[in-house]
Amino acid sequence: MTSIYDLKDKAALVTGAASGIGREIATQFHALGARLVLTDINGDGVRAVADSLGTGITTCRHDVASEEDWAAVFATVEREHGRLDILVNNAGIMMAKPFEKAGVDMLRRQFRINVESVYLGMQGALPLLKAAIEEGARTTSIVNIASIYGKVAGSEYAAYSATKGAVRALSKAVATEMATSGVRVNCVMPGPVATNLGADWEPPRDADGHLIPPDIALAAWAKMIPMGRLGETGDIAPLVAFLASDAAAFITGSEFIADGGYTAA
């Protein structure tokens, strides 16, 4: 008998799968039997991930802020699988800067990549997700990756926080609309995770205005977490897999925090 935690033969699309949390989600889904379409702006990187996992995985170079790219990705999903059971909107960027110095261009860039992409992805996926239900799927699942900074304040992360708060609200709104259709929508909100997401991150400065070395800044950040460490990608992927599975068939419109106790302190 197949476990309800299995994703066997479910067609899953994961964005931002070339590295970090997205790569770990792809790895977990593959281990659970999903049929994968992996996308990333880094086409070579996502192909390397697919090659490391095995055969039969489709990849696409994908700018998630591009409507044309989304259309091409969904055409690929339909051609390869004819349906979609799981969409994980994982791709995103994180940029930090003191609010007084953060121009509106930084806000706009993050909104395009972190929010518009989720909007386009969910809207474009719905016909394929509904097709899977018509073919007998119990439910289908959208999991949007937000951040605890969409719920609590983060110094120097005003623009980023605004985008992740938008993802949180958007997830709930679409979940309520889709509730009777069988399409579930949930949001995962990781705390600080050691990935390359913050490539544009500027470490904080000390009282004299000097940049604090990244390793020292990250160590200080870890001390703020009750568990005493930064999160790892492997702390997030199992939660996403659960929400994608039939084990979560009665869960929609919810947010799940994985932050080592950061927001509880």
Side-chain angles (χ1 to χ4, degrees):
M1 178 175 157
T2 302
S3 167
I4 57 174
Y5 293 97
D6 285 344
L7 302 179
K8 185 173 175 55
D9 294 329
K10 290 184 180 292
L13 168 59
V14 182
T15 70
S19 61
I21 291 173
R23 176 173 185 153
E24 191 67 30
I25 291 169
T27 302
Q28 183 104 160
F29 279 19
H30 182 262
L32 293 170
R35 296 179 292 155
L36 294 174
V37 177
L38 306 179
T39 80
D40 202 283
I41 191 71
N42 180 356
D44 291 339
V46 76
R47 182 69 256 169
V49 170
D51 290 344
S52 73
L53 295 177
T55 59
I57 299 171
T58 303
T59 66
C60 301
R61 185 190 180 279
H62 181 195
D63 176 359
V64 292
S66 164
E67 291 186 58
E68 293 77 12
D69 277 16
W70 272 111
V73 167
F74 287 127
T76 297
V77 171
E78 187 164 21
R79 183 182 69 248
E80 296 293 323
H81 303 296
R83 58 186 269 176
L84 183 65
D85 296 273
I86 303 159
L87 168 64
V88 181
N89 280 309
N90 167 73
I93 61 170
M94 179 175 70
M95 303 172 72
K97 188 172 285 189
F99 180 69
E100 291 179 307
K101 299 178 181 179
V104 72
D105 286 347
M106 191 178 85
L107 175 68
R108 288 171 177 156
R109 181 183 176 201
Q110 290 184 96
F111 254 93
R112 286 194 70 225
I113 296 172
N114 293 353
V115 183
E116 289 184 27
S117 70
V118 173
Y119 193 99
L120 291 170
M122 289 197 292
Q123 199 169 64
L126 285 175
L128 291 166
L129 293 166
K130 289 179 178 179
I133 292 170
E134 290 172 0
E135 292 178 18
R138 186 179 179 190
T139 67
T140 54
S141 175
I142 298 173
V143 183
N144 296 323
I145 308 300
S147 165
I148 57 167
Y149 282 162
K151 188 176 179 70
V152 299
S155 178
E156 301 191 4
Y157 287 94
Y160 178 74
S161 295
T163 68
K164 293 305 186 177
V167 171
R168 178 189 177 209
L170 181 59
S171 300
K172 289 178 177 292
V174 177
T176 60
E177 285 195 43
M178 293 295 109
T180 59
S181 73
V183 179
R184 299 181 294 105
V185 185
N186 291 291
C187 181
V188 170
M189 306 176 75
V193 175
T195 73
N196 64 352
L197 175 64
D200 297 302
W201 175 64
E202 180 177 300
R205 297 176 181 269
D206 61 23
D208 297 321
H210 301 120
L211 285 175
I212 300 172
D215 57 337
I216 295 176
L218 290 172
W221 206 0
K223 289 180 180 178
M224 298 170 63
I225 300 172
M227 282 190 171
R229 65 173 178 86
L230 295 176
E232 299 174 358
T233 58
D235 295 320
I236 310 303
L239 176 56
V240 177
F242 163 71
L243 291 171
S245 76
D246 287 340
F250 196 54
I251 299 174
T252 196
S254 295
E255 59 193 52
F256 294 82
I257 295 173
D259 67 354
Y262 187 94
T263 55

